[in-house]
Amino acid sequence: MSEPSSNSTTATRPTIEAIGSLTTIRVPVPGTPFHLAGILQSTNHTSRRLGIICHGSLGHKNYLFQPTLANALAPYMDTFRFDFRGNGDSEGEMGYSNWSDDQADLDAVIGHFERQGYSIHALIGHSRGAISSLNYAATSNHVPMIPYIVSLSSRFHMADVKRKHGPELMELLEKQGHFDWRARAAGKDITLRVTQQHFDDFLNFDTTAVAHIPSMTNILLVHGSDDDVVPVKDIGELQTHLSHARTALRIITSADHNYKKHYNEVSQVVAHYFSAEGRKAEWSRRILPNWKAWVHAIGGVLNFRTVGDIWIPSASDGTVSYLRPGIIYRCADISKPTPEGIKVLETLNIRDVFDLRSNSETERRGTLEAENIKRHHIPVFSDVDYSPAQIAVRFTMYLGGTEGFAKAYMSMLPNVKHFLPPILEHIVKKRTPFIVHCTAGKDRTGVVCAFLQMICGVSEEEIAWEYELTRRCMAIKEEDVRFLKNALGEEATDEKVRGVLSTNEEYMFRFLEEFHAKYGTINDFLMNELDMTMEQIQEVRDALLVTIPVPRAVM
């Protein structure tokens, strides 16, 4: 429950200059005569993403840090902050434990904006609003799934509210069956009568239901270290029940329950979570432990990993697809695995390897020889294209940084008919694990893996971040450094060559931008360049993805 404060009224609040436009909206609640009052703050995002900000008990749409938070979120989404029924300017009767009313109010707001063409991107709640937001994610079965939940100062142990109210009110409740909770909110003196039934309903609210929030939901839990309304230990209990890899925790040092003197800090913490930097940090936190387990799994092979374990929400039909790990594998040169490494490959049921290298590379470095694994040679470049002169031209492109990498990757696409169809045919017909590799496992392999992920609908951010993982692997052999220095001439220093052999997300972002500018969507590309039909493209998707109509954590 938020802590009402006489100095947090709309009358005395300093004016905050809003980023974007502010529109007052009244949302009807179906099945009732009530309307909910709220403020839409918009910067006309083309994504049409909306974050819904939910206040705590006795709060309102402009309570505490909410205007500051809406401003901080303006670069990433439009926001709607509203008054629950009976609060602020909304009609209806305020309640102490009317959880079902909170759910109905959220349903009304969400439905209203979805009909306006918005995609509900996040529920962001403070105190009681956080409890209701988490409960909505756990129990509403809303389709499509709401991808982000931000919980600020949420209570987990409901019985601790007795401590907050104090022994006098608890004694009154026991003697007369009710107590009057008096506070000042939104510039008004408020008295809320709490009966024994109301109090029992509050205590019996099942906060453990959060365990049923779909496991692909991104959840941010925030708490003040000096919160004396809801103990900081509650966030630990919440995190325990939200055992999803996508749950993150932030503690605001010295902040109380309402984040007084910390409005900017808590707003920036939430905003950073939605920023590109914040999203990448969370993705890395989830992915890196598994990646570290894979990268050295095959003795004698560098840069080995699986491409998968990715949830892909559909904006059109409300389903969520899962790109399974353990089907697509990628790595650097696999010509010299150790005997133990070959055993691991066989244990992973890998029986097919697609080699993207040219003939000159395979002659220089050798090829995989394993009795139970078949090598498919599908060079991206012909022998002429990979002549010493052309190597120098191509790697001179790489020396050009982001633009050079994008240009080099685009130069692969005229040959796409030679290297991509055999992989797609394997996916559809055999549906078994396979490896795709080149020399370093980053450029040609990176482009092929980008195509496979695009076919599945993986976001361009995740494609670029997955591509950049090679940089962490440092899959650089000294013989490659020497080879490239000789090909590039005197201007190629060790530092420049090592940069060419590394990866950066910006290289992939720029390539994808040029790809779409020239070829359109991935479907356009496959249909125009490979003469595939939509049915054939769907067959590839069906072989790689598992589709879940209504995702639940228990699945």
Side-chain angles (χ1 to χ4, degrees):
M1 307 176 81
S2 61
E3 182 179 15
S5 172
S6 60
N7 61 7
S8 62
T9 67
T10 53
T12 61
R13 176 178 304 284
T15 301
I16 297 175
E17 185 175 352
I19 297 174
S21 63
L22 300 180
T23 305
T24 300
I25 294 177
R26 297 181 66 79
V27 177
V29 181
T32 78
F34 307 138
H35 287 75
L36 305 175
I39 297 173
L40 175 67
Q41 185 161 337
S42 174
T43 54
N44 296 314
H45 282 275
T46 56
S47 67
R48 298 290 286 172
R49 289 175 173 172
L50 184 72
I52 297 174
I53 301 175
C54 307
H55 64 76
S57 294
L58 305 182
H60 53 84
K61 56 187 171 295
N62 287 321
Y63 191 49
L64 302 172
F65 52 84
Q66 290 190 151
T68 305
L69 176 59
N71 267 355
L73 292 172
Y76 312 113
M77 67 189 84
D78 292 349
T79 57
F80 182 70
R81 55 188 194 267
F82 74 101
D83 302 327
F84 281 103
R85 69 179 68 184
N87 291 267
D89 299 318
S90 287
E91 300 164 347
E93 184 177 352
M94 183 186 302
Y96 183 81
S97 55
N98 54 333
W99 302 108
S100 60
D101 289 346
D102 286 3
Q103 300 303 90
D105 291 352
L106 276 170
D107 255 336
V109 169
I110 289 169
H112 173 84
F113 283 100
E114 285 182 332
R115 289 190 293 273
Q116 305 304 312
Y118 272 104
S119 169
I120 309 304
H121 192 57
L123 295 181
I124 304 162
H126 172 236
S127 195
R128 175 177 175 141
I131 298 173
S132 292
S133 296
L134 289 166
N135 187 56
Y136 190 88
T139 63
S140 70
N141 292 320
H142 184 268
V143 177
M145 183 193 77
I146 298 172
Y148 288 91
I149 306 293
V150 177
S151 166
L152 302 158
S153 307
S154 182
R155 186 180 296 281
F156 184 79
H157 294 289
M158 304 301 279
D160 186 65
V161 74
K162 297 177 182 177
R163 175 188 60 81
K164 176 56 189 172
H165 283 310
E168 291 184 7
L169 288 183
M170 293 300 95
E171 187 176 345
L172 276 177
L173 181 64
E174 185 177 354
K175 285 183 177 180
Q176 61 189 29
H178 72 269
F179 66 86
D180 291 330
W181 185 21
R182 293 183 174 86
R184 185 170 176 81
K188 299 180 288 188
D189 292 321
I190 294 175
T191 299
L192 183 63
R193 174 153 293 188
V194 180
T195 67
Q196 185 67 58
Q197 184 63 57
H198 295 153
F199 197 72
D200 290 344
D201 289 345
F202 186 93
L203 297 184
N204 292 329
F205 184 79
D206 183 14
T207 54
T208 65
V210 297
H212 297 298
I213 294 176
S215 59
M216 60 287 291
T217 306
N218 303 283
I219 302 172
L220 175 63
L221 305 176
V222 183
H223 219 93
S225 66
D226 294 354
D227 190 338
D228 63 352
V229 177
V230 177
V232 72
K233 67 179 182 180
D234 278 33
I235 194 175
E237 291 285 352
L238 270 174
Q239 188 180 38
T240 298
H241 284 77
L242 289 165
S243 57
H244 314 150
R246 292 175 178 264
T247 301
L249 184 151
R250 305 286 188 273
I251 300 294
I252 308 295
T253 304
S254 302
D256 65 9
H257 185 70
N258 289 339
Y259 303 95
K260 293 174 185 174
K261 299 182 180 180
H262 293 270
Y263 287 2
N264 286 328
E265 184 178 0
V266 70
S267 298
Q268 289 304 317
V269 164
V270 176
H272 180 265
Y273 180 71
F274 288 102
S275 70
E277 182 182 357
R279 293 193 302 272
K280 183 179 180 181
E282 285 302 306
W283 180 87
S284 298
R285 182 180 62 82
R286 296 194 307 270
I287 294 297
L288 287 183
N290 289 333
W291 170 80
K292 289 176 181 177
W294 282 116
V295 71
H296 299 301
I298 311 300
V301 179
L302 296 173
N303 202 12
F304 182 84
R305 61 186 185 268
T306 185
V307 179
D309 194 18
I310 302 171
W311 294 103
I312 308 160
S314 169
S316 60
D317 62 5
T319 61
V320 174
S321 296
Y322 181 59
L323 177 55
R324 294 172 291 168
I327 301 296
I328 307 168
Y329 291 93
R330 57 178 295 176
C331 64
D333 175 17
I334 196 173
S335 60
K336 297 179 177 65
T338 63
E340 293 76 15
I342 291 177
K343 289 180 181 178
V344 175
L345 293 174
E346 292 176 346
T347 300
L348 293 172
N349 196 33
I350 294 171
R351 298 293 183 266
D352 295 273
V353 171
F354 292 90
D355 187 345
L356 303 174
R357 298 174 300 161
S358 67
N359 286 330
S360 59
E361 287 175 286
T362 59
E363 290 169 4
R364 179 166 60 92
R365 306 182 68 113
T367 59
L368 172 68
E369 295 182 7
E371 182 179 353
N372 297 318
I373 301 175
K374 182 178 180 181
R375 171 179 171 262
H376 306 264
H377 190 209
I378 50 171
V380 170
F381 298 111
S382 66
D383 288 339
V384 173
D385 286 335
Y386 223 78
S387 65
Q390 286 301 311
I391 290 173
V393 170
R394 183 161 297 107
F395 280 96
T396 298
M397 293 182 194
Y398 292 138
L399 289 173
T402 301
E403 294 299 324
F405 269 83
K407 185 176 180 181
Y409 291 175
M410 289 294 289
S411 73
M412 302 177 191
L413 303 192
N415 299 325
V416 69
K417 287 185 178 180
H418 300 296
F419 63 85
L420 191 57
I423 298 174
L424 300 182
E425 182 179 5
H426 171 91
I427 290 170
V428 171
K429 292 186 176 180
K430 294 191 70 173
R431 298 192 176 215
T432 56
F434 65 93
I435 290 175
V436 58
H437 80 94
C438 52
T439 296
K442 73 180 189 73
D443 298 317
R444 288 163 288 183
T445 301
V447 169
V448 169
C449 289
F451 281 147
L452 297 179
Q453 290 175 89
M454 279 196 284
I455 291 171
C456 293
V458 177
S459 72
E460 293 190 358
E461 279 189 338
E462 290 185 278
I463 292 172
W465 298 338
E466 196 283 331
Y467 160 83
E468 194 183 59
L469 283 176
T470 291
R471 189 160 116 188
R472 292 180 175 270
C473 177
M474 299 301 291
I476 298 175
K477 293 183 177 180
E478 290 306 314
E479 62 180 289
D480 295 327
V481 175
R482 292 193 297 270
F483 177 79
L484 283 180
K485 285 185 71 176
N486 291 333
L488 293 169
E490 296 180 357
E491 295 184 4
T493 64
D494 271 18
E495 182 180 358
K496 287 184 177 180
V497 168
R498 290 180 188 279
V500 167
L501 292 172
S502 187
T503 54
N504 185 302
E505 65 175 48
E506 293 302 324
Y507 304 162
M508 181 55 67
F509 280 131
R510 185 69 183 103
F511 162 64
L512 294 175
E513 185 178 359
E514 290 205 9
F515 169 83
H516 292 307
K518 181 172 182 178
Y519 296 103
T521 67
I522 185 64
N523 289 344
D524 294 334
F525 178 75
L526 295 173
M527 289 189 289
N528 294 330
E529 302 301 317
L530 299 184
D531 299 320
M532 293 180 70
T533 65
M534 281 303 301
E535 289 76 15
Q536 290 172 322
I537 297 171
Q538 188 59 48
E539 286 179 345
V540 177
R541 292 192 185 110
D542 290 343
L544 292 173
L545 298 173
V546 175
T547 300
I548 303 172
V550 181
R552 303 298 298 162
V554 294
M555 297 181 69

